[in-house]
Amino acid sequence: TSAMLVGAGVAGGQVIGQYDSQFFGLRVNPWTGQLDDRGEALTDKHFGATLLALGGLDAEVYSGGVPPIEAALR
């Protein structure tokens, strides 16, 4: 699926992630936002952790250790 983030703290003007020809998500480096075979398959937990980080919370504490998508944050 996709999402659009808008607002303070969001690093805009970019697309993070991509699908292959069969709509499977490709692995992404969450720090850079670039495709990376050694990266992570982003999930809803990554997105939730990103929203927590935007709210000023320690995302990894509340998301069970799943890191936020740092590339989406300023």
Tab-separated table of all heavy atoms in Angstrom:
chain	number	residue	atom	x	y	z
A	1	THR	N	0.836	-1.172	0.000
A	1	THR	CA	0.000	0.000	0.000
A	1	THR	C	0.881	1.236	0.000
A	1	THR	O	2.100	1.144	-0.038
A	1	THR	CB	-0.958	-0.042	1.208
A	1	THR	OG1	-1.913	0.988	1.056
A	1	THR	CG2	-0.242	0.100	2.521
A	2	SER	N	0.306	2.384	0.075
A	2	SER	CA	1.081	3.616	0.075
A	2	SER	C	0.505	4.586	1.095
A	2	SER	O	-0.613	4.431	1.560
A	2	SER	CB	1.091	4.245	-1.314
A	2	SER	OG	-0.224	4.561	-1.710
A	3	ALA	N	1.307	5.578	1.408
A	3	ALA	CA	0.880	6.621	2.333
A	3	ALA	C	1.597	7.901	1.964
A	3	ALA	O	2.688	7.872	1.393
A	3	ALA	CB	1.210	6.233	3.767
A	4	MET	N	0.994	9.021	2.306
A	4	MET	CA	1.623	10.311	2.090
A	4	MET	C	1.737	10.998	3.438
A	4	MET	O	0.749	11.098	4.172
A	4	MET	CB	0.796	11.168	1.139
A	4	MET	CG	1.437	12.509	0.866
A	4	MET	SD	0.670	13.455	-0.458
A	4	MET	CE	-0.982	13.713	0.161
A	5	LEU	N	2.937	11.436	3.768
A	5	LEU	CA	3.168	12.160	5.014
A	5	LEU	C	3.352	13.632	4.706
A	5	LEU	O	4.106	13.991	3.795
A	5	LEU	CB	4.417	11.632	5.721
A	5	LEU	CG	4.371	10.190	6.196
A	5	LEU	CD1	5.732	9.781	6.751
A	5	LEU	CD2	3.303	10.023	7.253
A	6	VAL	N	2.679	14.469	5.462
A	6	VAL	CA	2.755	15.910	5.283
A	6	VAL	C	2.838	16.542	6.660
A	6	VAL	O	2.151	16.112	7.578
A	6	VAL	CB	1.493	16.442	4.556
A	6	VAL	CG1	1.532	17.939	4.408
A	6	VAL	CG2	1.323	15.772	3.211
A	7	GLY	N	3.689	17.549	6.814
A	7	GLY	CA	3.705	18.285	8.063
A	7	GLY	C	5.098	18.509	8.602
A	7	GLY	O	6.106	18.114	8.000
A	8	ALA	N	5.129	19.144	9.759
A	8	ALA	CA	6.398	19.456	10.411
A	8	ALA	C	7.143	18.169	10.745
A	8	ALA	O	6.547	17.201	11.198
A	8	ALA	CB	6.137	20.256	11.675
A	9	GLY	N	8.433	18.167	10.492
A	9	GLY	CA	9.253	17.010	10.807
A	9	GLY	C	9.358	15.985	9.698
A	9	GLY	O	10.118	15.033	9.808
A	10	VAL	N	8.592	16.172	8.629
A	10	VAL	CA	8.620	15.229	7.513
A	10	VAL	C	9.610	15.730	6.465
A	10	VAL	O	9.559	16.892	6.068
A	10	VAL	CB	7.224	15.069	6.870
A	10	VAL	CG1	7.281	14.185	5.646
A	10	VAL	CG2	6.238	14.521	7.878
A	11	ALA	N	10.499	14.859	6.038
A	11	ALA	CA	11.425	15.178	4.944
A	11	ALA	C	10.685	14.928	3.639
A	11	ALA	O	10.536	13.795	3.210
A	11	ALA	CB	12.677	14.310	5.042
A	12	GLY	N	10.185	15.974	3.029
A	12	GLY	CA	9.326	15.843	1.858
A	12	GLY	C	10.082	15.711	0.554
A	12	GLY	O	11.304	15.653	0.507
A	13	GLY	N	9.316	15.668	-0.511
A	13	GLY	CA	9.861	15.644	-1.848
A	13	GLY	C	10.541	14.347	-2.237
A	13	GLY	O	11.469	14.357	-3.039
A	14	GLN	N	10.096	13.239	-1.679
A	14	GLN	CA	10.740	11.973	-1.995
A	14	GLN	C	9.729	10.836	-1.981
A	14	GLN	O	8.653	10.951	-1.412
A	14	GLN	CB	11.859	11.674	-1.001
A	14	GLN	CG	11.382	11.528	0.426
A	14	GLN	CD	12.521	11.275	1.395
A	14	GLN	OE1	13.540	10.720	1.022
A	14	GLN	NE2	12.340	11.664	2.631
A	15	VAL	N	10.107	9.761	-2.617
A	15	VAL	CA	9.342	8.518	-2.590
A	15	VAL	C	10.253	7.485	-1.950
A	15	VAL	O	11.407	7.340	-2.338
A	15	VAL	CB	8.942	8.069	-4.012
A	15	VAL	CG1	8.289	6.703	-3.980
A	15	VAL	CG2	8.033	9.100	-4.651
A	16	ILE	N	9.730	6.788	-0.970
A	16	ILE	CA	10.508	5.754	-0.275
A	16	ILE	C	9.866	4.414	-0.560
A	16	ILE	O	8.690	4.212	-0.276
A	16	ILE	CB	10.554	6.025	1.240
A	16	ILE	CG1	11.224	7.364	1.508
A	16	ILE	CG2	11.262	4.893	1.970
A	16	ILE	CD1	11.163	7.819	2.943
A	17	GLY	N	10.647	3.511	-1.117
A	17	GLY	CA	10.150	2.176	-1.411
A	17	GLY	C	9.683	2.034	-2.841
A	17	GLY	O	9.543	3.002	-3.576
A	18	GLN	N	9.481	0.776	-3.204
A	18	GLN	CA	9.073	0.457	-4.564
A	18	GLN	C	8.568	-0.981	-4.576
A	18	GLN	O	8.909	-1.772	-3.711
A	18	GLN	CB	10.277	0.603	-5.491
A	18	GLN	CG	9.980	0.437	-6.946
A	18	GLN	CD	11.222	0.730	-7.778
A	18	GLN	OE1	12.060	1.542	-7.419
A	18	GLN	NE2	11.346	0.040	-8.893
A	19	TYR	N	7.752	-1.295	-5.572
A	19	TYR	CA	7.249	-2.654	-5.765
A	19	TYR	C	7.913	-3.280	-6.975
A	19	TYR	O	8.310	-2.578	-7.902
A	19	TYR	CB	5.736	-2.638	-6.009
A	19	TYR	CG	4.932	-2.223	-4.821
A	19	TYR	CD1	4.439	-0.929	-4.712
A	19	TYR	CD2	4.656	-3.125	-3.816
A	19	TYR	CE1	3.689	-0.549	-3.613
A	19	TYR	CE2	3.897	-2.757	-2.714
A	19	TYR	CZ	3.421	-1.457	-2.625
A	19	TYR	OH	2.685	-1.084	-1.550
A	20	ASP	N	7.969	-4.633	-6.989
A	20	ASP	CA	8.437	-5.320	-8.190
A	20	ASP	C	7.247	-5.522	-9.131
A	20	ASP	O	6.140	-5.038	-8.866
A	20	ASP	CB	9.143	-6.633	-7.838
A	20	ASP	CG	8.236	-7.692	-7.233
A	20	ASP	OD1	6.993	-7.557	-7.282
A	20	ASP	OD2	8.775	-8.675	-6.698
A	21	SER	N	7.454	-6.234	-10.218
A	21	SER	CA	6.403	-6.403	-11.232
A	21	SER	C	5.203	-7.201	-10.728
A	21	SER	O	4.129	-7.148	-11.326
A	21	SER	CB	6.983	-7.075	-12.478
A	21	SER	OG	7.463	-8.369	-12.168
A	22	GLN	N	5.371	-7.925	-9.622
A	22	GLN	CA	4.253	-8.680	-9.056
A	22	GLN	C	3.725	-8.031	-7.778
A	22	GLN	O	3.010	-8.647	-7.009
A	22	GLN	CB	4.682	-10.119	-8.796
A	22	GLN	CG	5.017	-10.837	-10.085
A	22	GLN	CD	5.290	-12.311	-9.872
A	22	GLN	OE1	5.507	-12.780	-8.752
A	22	GLN	NE2	5.259	-13.056	-10.940
A	23	PHE	N	4.100	-6.776	-7.550
A	23	PHE	CA	3.648	-5.959	-6.430
A	23	PHE	C	4.105	-6.444	-5.070
A	23	PHE	O	3.416	-6.261	-4.071
A	23	PHE	CB	2.128	-5.764	-6.465
A	23	PHE	CG	1.689	-5.007	-7.679
A	23	PHE	CD1	1.112	-5.656	-8.742
A	23	PHE	CD2	1.901	-3.643	-7.769
A	23	PHE	CE1	0.728	-4.971	-9.880
A	23	PHE	CE2	1.532	-2.949	-8.898
A	23	PHE	CZ	0.935	-3.602	-9.955
A	24	PHE	N	5.278	-7.047	-5.033
A	24	PHE	CA	5.924	-7.356	-3.765
A	24	PHE	C	6.839	-6.183	-3.436
A	24	PHE	O	7.554	-5.689	-4.314
A	24	PHE	CB	6.731	-8.656	-3.838
A	24	PHE	CG	5.892	-9.893	-3.916
A	24	PHE	CD1	5.731	-10.557	-5.117
A	24	PHE	CD2	5.251	-10.374	-2.783
A	24	PHE	CE1	4.939	-11.694	-5.195
A	24	PHE	CE2	4.464	-11.516	-2.846
A	24	PHE	CZ	4.302	-12.170	-4.056
A	25	GLY	N	6.816	-5.759	-2.188
A	25	GLY	CA	7.664	-4.642	-1.791
A	25	GLY	C	9.138	-5.012	-1.831
A	25	GLY	O	9.521	-6.100	-1.409
A	26	LEU	N	9.944	-4.112	-2.358
A	26	LEU	CA	11.387	-4.319	-2.412
A	26	LEU	C	12.013	-3.824	-1.109
A	26	LEU	O	11.464	-2.961	-0.424
A	26	LEU	CB	11.975	-3.572	-3.607
A	26	LEU	CG	11.430	-4.010	-4.966
A	26	LEU	CD1	12.003	-3.127	-6.068
A	26	LEU	CD2	11.742	-5.467	-5.229
A	27	ARG	N	13.157	-4.365	-0.773
A	27	ARG	CA	13.841	-3.996	0.466
A	27	ARG	C	14.414	-2.585	0.373
A	27	ARG	O	14.894	-2.172	-0.681
A	27	ARG	CB	14.931	-4.999	0.779
A	27	ARG	CG	14.357	-6.369	1.107
A	27	ARG	CD	15.438	-7.344	1.532
A	27	ARG	NE	14.858	-8.562	2.013
A	27	ARG	CZ	14.441	-8.760	3.266
A	27	ARG	NH1	14.568	-7.823	4.156
A	27	ARG	NH2	13.905	-9.905	3.629
A	28	VAL	N	14.340	-1.892	1.508
A	28	VAL	CA	14.738	-0.482	1.578
A	28	VAL	C	15.655	-0.281	2.776
A	28	VAL	O	15.455	-0.882	3.834
A	28	VAL	CB	13.480	0.409	1.754
A	28	VAL	CG1	13.842	1.848	2.001
A	28	VAL	CG2	12.571	0.274	0.555
A	29	ASN	N	16.636	0.576	2.612
A	29	ASN	CA	17.440	1.018	3.746
A	29	ASN	C	16.630	2.097	4.450
A	29	ASN	O	16.397	3.161	3.872
A	29	ASN	CB	18.777	1.579	3.258
A	29	ASN	CG	19.643	2.081	4.376
A	29	ASN	OD1	19.174	2.671	5.337
A	29	ASN	ND2	20.927	1.863	4.238
A	30	PRO	N	16.148	1.865	5.688
A	30	PRO	CA	15.288	2.847	6.347
A	30	PRO	C	15.991	4.163	6.664
A	30	PRO	O	15.347	5.183	6.872
A	30	PRO	CB	14.820	2.160	7.625
A	30	PRO	CG	15.514	0.862	7.714
A	30	PRO	CD	16.294	0.645	6.470
A	31	TRP	N	17.317	4.163	6.706
A	31	TRP	CA	18.062	5.401	6.995
A	31	TRP	C	18.159	6.306	5.788
A	31	TRP	O	18.094	7.527	5.907
A	31	TRP	CB	19.458	5.068	7.520
A	31	TRP	CG	19.391	4.539	8.911
A	31	TRP	CD1	19.367	3.222	9.277
A	31	TRP	CD2	19.289	5.290	10.106
A	31	TRP	NE1	19.264	3.121	10.635
A	31	TRP	CE2	19.214	4.373	11.171
A	31	TRP	CE3	19.248	6.646	10.388
A	31	TRP	CZ2	19.105	4.771	12.493
A	31	TRP	CZ3	19.146	7.039	11.712
A	31	TRP	CH2	19.071	6.112	12.742
A	32	THR	N	18.322	5.688	4.594
A	32	THR	CA	18.501	6.495	3.383
A	32	THR	C	17.248	6.565	2.524
A	32	THR	O	17.108	7.464	1.705
A	32	THR	CB	19.637	5.917	2.515
A	32	THR	OG1	19.238	4.630	2.027
A	32	THR	CG2	20.939	5.820	3.290
A	33	GLY	N	16.363	5.588	2.671
A	33	GLY	CA	15.175	5.514	1.837
A	33	GLY	C	15.439	4.896	0.477
A	33	GLY	O	14.537	4.770	-0.342
A	34	GLN	N	16.663	4.475	0.231
A	34	GLN	CA	17.045	3.892	-1.056
A	34	GLN	C	16.819	2.383	-1.057
A	34	GLN	O	16.903	1.735	-0.029
A	34	GLN	CB	18.519	4.181	-1.340
A	34	GLN	CG	18.867	5.648	-1.380
A	34	GLN	CD	18.115	6.389	-2.470
A	34	GLN	OE1	18.072	5.943	-3.608
A	34	GLN	NE2	17.510	7.499	-2.121
A	35	LEU	N	16.554	1.852	-2.246
A	35	LEU	CA	16.429	0.403	-2.386
A	35	LEU	C	17.757	-0.242	-2.029
A	35	LEU	O	18.819	0.274	-2.377
A	35	LEU	CB	16.043	0.035	-3.818
A	35	LEU	CG	14.690	0.539	-4.297
A	35	LEU	CD1	14.470	0.116	-5.738
A	35	LEU	CD2	13.563	0.054	-3.421
A	36	ASP	N	17.683	-1.347	-1.304
A	36	ASP	CA	18.890	-2.018	-0.832
A	36	ASP	C	18.551	-3.475	-0.559
A	36	ASP	O	17.720	-3.767	0.308
A	36	ASP	CB	19.390	-1.346	0.441
A	36	ASP	CG	20.703	-1.885	0.957
A	36	ASP	OD1	21.112	-2.993	0.555
A	36	ASP	OD2	21.323	-1.202	1.781
A	37	ASP	N	19.181	-4.386	-1.289
A	37	ASP	CA	18.910	-5.815	-1.106
A	37	ASP	C	19.187	-6.273	0.321
A	37	ASP	O	18.622	-7.267	0.777
A	37	ASP	CB	19.749	-6.657	-2.067
A	37	ASP	CG	19.281	-6.519	-3.501
A	37	ASP	OD1	18.103	-6.157	-3.724
A	37	ASP	OD2	20.092	-6.778	-4.409
A	38	ARG	N	20.042	-5.568	1.046
A	38	ARG	CA	20.337	-5.914	2.440
A	38	ARG	C	19.454	-5.128	3.409
A	38	ARG	O	19.581	-5.266	4.614
A	38	ARG	CB	21.812	-5.639	2.746
A	38	ARG	CG	22.741	-6.561	1.955
A	38	ARG	CD	24.166	-6.137	2.069
A	38	ARG	NE	24.287	-4.861	1.348
A	38	ARG	CZ	25.182	-3.921	1.578
A	38	ARG	NH1	26.080	-4.091	2.508
A	38	ARG	NH2	25.205	-2.822	0.871
A	39	GLY	N	18.568	-4.310	2.878
A	39	GLY	CA	17.691	-3.491	3.712
A	39	GLY	C	16.534	-4.287	4.289
A	39	GLY	O	16.585	-5.509	4.383
A	40	GLU	N	15.492	-3.574	4.649
A	40	GLU	CA	14.330	-4.188	5.287
A	40	GLU	C	13.114	-4.122	4.377
A	40	GLU	O	12.956	-3.177	3.608
A	40	GLU	CB	14.023	-3.448	6.591
A	40	GLU	CG	15.159	-3.519	7.585
A	40	GLU	CD	14.753	-2.997	8.944
A	40	GLU	OE1	13.604	-3.195	9.349
A	40	GLU	OE2	15.611	-2.392	9.590
A	41	ALA	N	12.266	-5.119	4.500
A	41	ALA	CA	10.961	-5.073	3.864
A	41	ALA	C	10.078	-4.232	4.794
A	41	ALA	O	9.783	-4.654	5.912
A	41	ALA	CB	10.400	-6.479	3.686
A	42	LEU	N	9.721	-3.049	4.358
A	42	LEU	CA	8.968	-2.147	5.230
A	42	LEU	C	7.567	-2.684	5.475
A	42	LEU	O	6.918	-3.208	4.577
A	42	LEU	CB	8.903	-0.751	4.609
A	42	LEU	CG	10.253	-0.069	4.389
A	42	LEU	CD1	10.048	1.305	3.757
A	42	LEU	CD2	11.046	0.044	5.670
A	43	THR	N	7.118	-2.535	6.718
A	43	THR	CA	5.798	-3.029	7.117
A	43	THR	C	5.007	-1.900	7.768
A	43	THR	O	5.509	-0.793	7.958
A	43	THR	CB	5.930	-4.179	8.131
A	43	THR	OG1	6.453	-3.647	9.346
A	43	THR	CG2	6.821	-5.294	7.611
A	44	ASP	N	3.788	-2.222	8.150
A	44	ASP	CA	2.969	-1.254	8.873
A	44	ASP	C	3.618	-0.867	10.196
A	44	ASP	O	3.439	0.256	10.678
A	44	ASP	CB	1.565	-1.806	9.101
A	44	ASP	CG	1.566	-3.125	9.866
A	44	ASP	OD1	2.542	-3.899	9.773
A	44	ASP	OD2	0.568	-3.390	10.551
A	45	LYS	N	4.412	-1.751	10.776
A	45	LYS	CA	5.093	-1.435	12.039
A	45	LYS	C	6.147	-0.356	11.833
A	45	LYS	O	6.329	0.507	12.688
A	45	LYS	CB	5.693	-2.689	12.647
A	45	LYS	CG	4.627	-3.667	13.090
A	45	LYS	CD	5.232	-4.892	13.703
A	45	LYS	CE	4.144	-5.913	13.893
A	45	LYS	NZ	3.842	-6.234	15.222
A	46	HIS	N	6.848	-0.381	10.709
A	46	HIS	CA	7.804	0.678	10.391
A	46	HIS	C	7.076	2.018	10.247
A	46	HIS	O	7.535	3.047	10.726
A	46	HIS	CB	8.554	0.377	9.095
A	46	HIS	CG	9.508	-0.759	9.209
A	46	HIS	ND1	9.140	-2.047	8.921
A	46	HIS	CD2	10.808	-0.804	9.571
A	46	HIS	CE1	10.188	-2.842	9.093
A	46	HIS	NE2	11.204	-2.114	9.489
A	47	PHE	N	5.942	1.978	9.563
A	47	PHE	CA	5.157	3.202	9.375
A	47	PHE	C	4.661	3.730	10.721
A	47	PHE	O	4.749	4.923	11.004
A	47	PHE	CB	3.986	2.935	8.431
A	47	PHE	CG	3.197	4.163	8.108
A	47	PHE	CD1	3.759	5.181	7.351
A	47	PHE	CD2	1.904	4.308	8.562
A	47	PHE	CE1	3.029	6.326	7.057
A	47	PHE	CE2	1.164	5.441	8.272
A	47	PHE	CZ	1.727	6.450	7.513
A	48	GLY	N	4.157	2.838	11.572
A	48	GLY	CA	3.705	3.239	12.900
A	48	GLY	C	4.841	3.818	13.726
A	48	GLY	O	4.673	4.822	14.417
A	49	ALA	N	6.023	3.196	13.655
A	49	ALA	CA	7.180	3.706	14.380
A	49	ALA	C	7.562	5.098	13.872
A	49	ALA	O	7.966	5.968	14.643
A	49	ALA	CB	8.354	2.746	14.245
A	50	THR	N	7.403	5.312	12.581
A	50	THR	CA	7.698	6.623	11.994
A	50	THR	C	6.729	7.672	12.532
A	50	THR	O	7.135	8.784	12.885
A	50	THR	CB	7.630	6.550	10.458
A	50	THR	OG1	8.525	5.524	10.013
A	50	THR	CG2	8.000	7.867	9.817
A	51	LEU	N	5.457	7.334	12.622
A	51	LEU	CA	4.472	8.262	13.180
A	51	LEU	C	4.758	8.556	14.650
A	51	LEU	O	4.627	9.706	15.100
A	51	LEU	CB	3.056	7.713	13.003
A	51	LEU	CG	2.580	7.547	11.570
A	51	LEU	CD1	1.176	6.939	11.549
A	51	LEU	CD2	2.605	8.869	10.822
A	52	LEU	N	5.152	7.538	15.407
A	52	LEU	CA	5.518	7.749	16.813
A	52	LEU	C	6.706	8.698	16.923
A	52	LEU	O	6.716	9.607	17.758
A	52	LEU	CB	5.846	6.421	17.482
A	52	LEU	CG	4.670	5.486	17.741
A	52	LEU	CD1	5.166	4.100	18.120
A	52	LEU	CD2	3.773	6.058	18.826
A	53	ALA	N	7.713	8.513	16.059
A	53	ALA	CA	8.889	9.380	16.069
A	53	ALA	C	8.498	10.814	15.718
A	53	ALA	O	9.005	11.764	16.322
A	53	ALA	CB	9.938	8.860	15.096
A	54	LEU	N	7.587	10.983	14.784
A	54	LEU	CA	7.113	12.329	14.446
A	54	LEU	C	6.409	12.978	15.627
A	54	LEU	O	6.431	14.201	15.775
A	54	LEU	CB	6.160	12.281	13.248
A	54	LEU	CG	6.815	12.118	11.890
A	54	LEU	CD1	5.764	11.815	10.822
A	54	LEU	CD2	7.591	13.382	11.524
A	55	GLY	N	5.799	12.161	16.477
A	55	GLY	CA	5.130	12.665	17.675
A	55	GLY	C	6.073	12.897	18.841
A	55	GLY	O	5.644	13.233	19.936
A	56	GLY	N	7.368	12.666	18.619
A	56	GLY	CA	8.357	12.925	19.663
A	56	GLY	C	8.553	11.778	20.640
A	56	GLY	O	9.173	11.957	21.680
A	57	LEU	N	8.034	10.607	20.321
A	57	LEU	CA	8.179	9.450	21.210
A	57	LEU	C	9.345	8.579	20.764
A	57	LEU	O	9.750	8.598	19.595
A	57	LEU	CB	6.895	8.627	21.205
A	57	LEU	CG	5.656	9.364	21.703
A	57	LEU	CD1	4.418	8.523	21.462
A	57	LEU	CD2	5.796	9.710	23.165
A	58	ASP	N	9.877	7.791	21.686
A	58	ASP	CA	10.930	6.842	21.353
A	58	ASP	C	10.265	5.677	20.633
A	58	ASP	O	9.733	4.756	21.253
A	58	ASP	CB	11.648	6.375	22.612
A	58	ASP	CG	12.837	5.480	22.323
A	58	ASP	OD1	12.972	5.001	21.167
A	58	ASP	OD2	13.632	5.253	23.240
A	59	ALA	N	10.288	5.736	19.332
A	59	ALA	CA	9.521	4.805	18.504
A	59	ALA	C	9.873	3.350	18.759
A	59	ALA	O	8.992	2.502	18.797
A	59	ALA	CB	9.733	5.143	17.034
A	60	GLU	N	11.146	3.050	18.951
A	60	GLU	CA	11.530	1.642	19.104
A	60	GLU	C	11.012	1.048	20.412
A	60	GLU	O	10.760	-0.142	20.491
A	60	GLU	CB	13.034	1.490	18.959
A	60	GLU	CG	13.470	1.754	17.528
A	60	GLU	CD	14.892	1.352	17.245
A	60	GLU	OE1	15.296	0.269	17.678
A	60	GLU	OE2	15.581	2.133	16.578
A	61	VAL	N	10.810	1.869	21.427
A	61	VAL	CA	10.249	1.382	22.696
A	61	VAL	C	8.793	0.977	22.501
A	61	VAL	O	8.366	-0.077	22.948
A	61	VAL	CB	10.362	2.464	23.792
A	61	VAL	CG1	9.551	2.074	25.022
A	61	VAL	CG2	11.812	2.705	24.159
A	62	TYR	N	8.029	1.817	21.799
A	62	TYR	CA	6.600	1.580	21.646
A	62	TYR	C	6.251	0.660	20.479
A	62	TYR	O	5.125	0.202	20.373
A	62	TYR	CB	5.861	2.908	21.482
A	62	TYR	CG	5.911	3.742	22.732
A	62	TYR	CD1	6.804	4.788	22.854
A	62	TYR	CD2	5.075	3.462	23.802
A	62	TYR	CE1	6.862	5.553	24.013
A	62	TYR	CE2	5.126	4.212	24.963
A	62	TYR	CZ	6.016	5.252	25.060
A	62	TYR	OH	6.074	5.998	26.204
A	63	SER	N	7.206	0.411	19.591
A	63	SER	CA	6.906	-0.428	18.429
A	63	SER	C	7.537	-1.812	18.533
A	63	SER	O	7.625	-2.529	17.540
A	63	SER	CB	7.403	0.259	17.156
A	63	SER	OG	8.813	0.321	17.148
A	64	GLY	N	8.002	-2.169	19.712
A	64	GLY	CA	8.592	-3.488	19.892
A	64	GLY	C	9.948	-3.646	19.222
A	64	GLY	O	10.295	-4.729	18.783
A	65	GLY	N	10.691	-2.559	19.118
A	65	GLY	CA	12.027	-2.620	18.536
A	65	GLY	C	12.098	-2.374	17.048
A	65	GLY	O	13.180	-2.394	16.470
A	66	VAL	N	10.957	-2.145	16.411
A	66	VAL	CA	10.961	-1.860	14.978
A	66	VAL	C	11.367	-0.389	14.786
A	66	VAL	O	10.777	0.504	15.395
A	66	VAL	CB	9.570	-2.113	14.354
A	66	VAL	CG1	9.538	-1.706	12.899
A	66	VAL	CG2	9.180	-3.559	14.531
A	67	PRO	N	12.367	-0.137	13.951
A	67	PRO	CA	12.833	1.241	13.782
A	67	PRO	C	11.907	2.056	12.878
A	67	PRO	O	11.240	1.503	12.001
A	67	PRO	CB	14.198	1.077	13.122
A	67	PRO	CG	14.059	-0.172	12.330
A	67	PRO	CD	13.173	-1.069	13.152
A	68	PRO	N	11.888	3.367	13.074
A	68	PRO	CA	11.152	4.231	12.165
A	68	PRO	C	11.870	4.319	10.819
A	68	PRO	O	13.053	3.962	10.700
A	68	PRO	CB	11.136	5.578	12.871
A	68	PRO	CG	12.317	5.567	13.745
A	68	PRO	CD	12.524	4.128	14.152
A	69	ILE	N	11.192	4.819	9.843
A	69	ILE	CA	11.796	5.062	8.538
A	69	ILE	C	12.478	6.432	8.641
A	69	ILE	O	11.856	7.471	8.416
A	69	ILE	CB	10.756	5.040	7.412
A	69	ILE	CG1	9.974	3.731	7.460
A	69	ILE	CG2	11.408	5.232	6.040
A	69	ILE	CD1	8.698	3.738	6.635
A	70	GLU	N	13.731	6.423	9.039
A	70	GLU	CA	14.467	7.663	9.306
A	70	GLU	C	14.534	8.567	8.089
A	70	GLU	O	14.586	9.784	8.232
A	70	GLU	CB	15.866	7.345	9.811
A	70	GLU	CG	15.903	6.678	11.164
A	70	GLU	CD	15.509	7.608	12.319
A	70	GLU	OE1	15.560	8.842	12.154
A	70	GLU	OE2	15.144	7.078	13.371
A	71	ALA	N	14.542	7.995	6.895
A	71	ALA	CA	14.625	8.795	5.680
A	71	ALA	C	13.410	9.715	5.527
A	71	ALA	O	13.478	10.720	4.832
A	71	ALA	CB	14.742	7.903	4.460
A	72	ALA	N	12.306	9.383	6.189
A	72	ALA	CA	11.101	10.204	6.103
A	72	ALA	C	11.092	11.331	7.126
A	72	ALA	O	10.229	12.201	7.080
A	72	ALA	CB	9.861	9.339	6.297
A	73	LEU	N	12.062	11.318	8.031
A	73	LEU	CA	12.097	12.310	9.104
A	73	LEU	C	13.189	13.340	8.867
A	73	LEU	O	14.239	13.035	8.334
A	73	LEU	CB	12.375	11.607	10.448
A	73	LEU	CG	11.413	10.464	10.804
A	73	LEU	CD1	11.904	9.754	12.053
A	73	LEU	CD2	10.000	10.978	10.972
A	74	ARG	N	12.937	14.562	9.288
A	74	ARG	CA	13.969	15.603	9.197
A	74	ARG	C	14.802	15.587	10.427
A	74	ARG	O	14.410	15.380	11.504
A	74	ARG	CB	13.339	16.969	9.075
A	74	ARG	CG	13.145	17.348	7.669
A	74	ARG	CD	12.841	18.792	7.581
A	74	ARG	NE	11.576	18.841	6.860
A	74	ARG	CZ	10.944	19.914	6.567
A	74	ARG	NH1	11.385	21.062	6.988
A	74	ARG	NH2	9.861	19.909	5.892
